[in-house]
């Protein structure tokens, strides 16, 4: 069982920045990866970024150059630094984690989501 606790969402003006955090806790052998997704009204959930335990990252083309994912493996925490925010970034942002268990299995968990609203 894994719990993902997100924080950092809220209201921000266009051009502003937010830093989202997501901490994982529970019973698992290790975390293979942690990532961020978002879902805007009327749209499907969109992949944003993920980071592996060794620090390597993948980004969606839509957020390259503005968003940065990072992690603190000791704290089982992933961050998403969002800069130059635009109204179209308004969405519910979700973190996820893929964990390893024994016997060898990969289980994916999702946070509850945090709302980011970019508006004047």
């Amino acid at each position: 069982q894994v719990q993902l606790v997100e924080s950092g969402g809220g209201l921000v003006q266009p051009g502003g920045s937010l830093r989202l955090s997501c901490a994982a806790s529970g019973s698992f052998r290790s975390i293979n990866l942690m990532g961020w997704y978002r879902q805007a009204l009327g749209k499907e959930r969109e992949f944003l970024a993920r980071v592996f335990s060794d620090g390597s990252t993948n980004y969606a083309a839509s957020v390259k150059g503005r968003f940065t994912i990072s992690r603190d493996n000791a704290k089982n925490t992933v961050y998403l630094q969002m800069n130059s925010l635009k109204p179209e970034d308004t969405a519910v942002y979700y973190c996820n984690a893929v964990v390893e268990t024994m016997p060898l299995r990969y289980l994916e968990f999702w946070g509850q989501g945090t709302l980011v609203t970019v508006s004047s």
Side-chain angles (χ1 to χ4, degrees):
Q1 185 176 356
V2 175
Q3 181 177 240
L4 302 178
V5 180
E6 299 167 319
S7 62
L11 177 65
V12 63
Q13 293 184 340
S17 299
L18 283 176
R19 190 192 193 207
L20 306 182
S21 300
C22 178
S25 62
S27 179
F28 47 84
R29 181 181 181 183
S30 62
I31 299 177
N32 181 252
L33 64 87
M34 301 184 77
W36 288 97
Y37 293 70
R38 69 185 180 191
Q39 187 167 19
L41 183 64
K43 296 185 178 180
E44 296 183 350
R45 190 168 297 185
E46 175 190 13
F47 165 77
L48 299 175
R50 55 178 164 251
V51 58
F52 294 86
S53 59
D54 65 358
S56 61
T57 59
N58 295 143
Y59 289 94
S62 60
V63 301
K64 283 184 177 179
R66 294 192 299 128
F67 292 7
T68 303
I69 191 169
S70 60
R71 87 289 172 229
D72 185 335
N73 286 340
K75 297 180 179 180
N76 292 326
T77 299
V78 64
Y79 307 93
L80 186 67
Q81 178 67 46
M82 305 187 295
N83 299 325
S84 301
L85 285 164
K86 306 173 182 179
E88 52 263 43
D89 293 318
T90 296
V92 177
Y93 285 69
Y94 299 90
C95 72
N96 83 319
V98 176
V99 306
E100 298 179 4
T101 65
M102 291 299 296
L104 183 61
R105 296 183 68 184
Y106 296 91
L107 302 177
E108 187 173 34
F109 295 86
W110 293 86
Q112 77 287 349
T114 184
L115 178 63
V116 173
T117 302
V118 184
S119 176
S120 299

